Amino acid sequence: MSGYVGDGTNQWAAVHVTDAARLVRLGLEQAPAGTRLHAVAESGIPTRDIAEAIGAGLGLPITSVDPADAEEHFGFIGRFFAMEMSATSDATRELLGWEPTGVGLLDDIAGGAYFPVRGA
């Protein structure tokens, strides 16, 4: 089953791998030493939406997991699933002129990018 913690309204930031790679290159080439860069294309995607996309892609039921049971259900990473992990990259974009162009997380999941090739 594909799960989310609580009501699933906590949000996670996301970035496509090609956008993150491009930002690393720009950072190495242009950012002053010690600069903190934030590779964020989508500031906050509700975790329930992420779980629903995964469930749809794998044909699994979607369920809420009580916060007290998150670590038992998801393992050690369960404590992170309940956290608010939204962020922005406004300062990074301004500093380096970086603009993400990759597909969004939910569309990427729906397109099968995170699932094994069926029949392989």
Side-chain angles (χ1 to χ4, degrees):
M1 89 180 46
S2 182
Y4 56 90
V5 179
D7 64 4
T9 58
N10 56 307
Q11 298 183 17
W12 279 35
V15 66
H16 193 272
V17 66
T18 57
D19 290 325
R22 198 168 74 257
L23 179 59
V24 168
R25 181 186 54 81
L26 287 171
L28 290 170
E29 293 174 353
Q30 299 176 21
T35 301
R36 293 180 186 197
L37 303 175
H38 294 187
V40 176
E42 297 173 279
S43 294
I45 305 166
T47 55
R48 181 179 184 148
D49 293 354
I50 297 168
E52 288 173 348
I54 292 169
L58 294 174
L60 297 172
I62 297 99
T63 189
S64 171
V65 175
D66 186 281
D69 299 329
E71 197 164 346
E72 180 182 330
H73 181 83
F74 295 109
F76 77 93
I77 196 116
R79 70 186 90 162
F80 297 104
F81 286 158
M83 297 175 81
E84 181 71 22
M85 302 287 254
S86 59
T88 69
S89 60
D90 295 344
T92 297
R93 292 176 192 223
E94 185 176 325
L95 176 69
L96 299 176
W98 174 71
E99 286 299 325
T101 59
V103 66
L105 178 61
L106 298 178
D107 288 338
D108 210 17
I109 293 170
Y114 292 85
F115 308 121
V117 176
R118 295 179 195 250

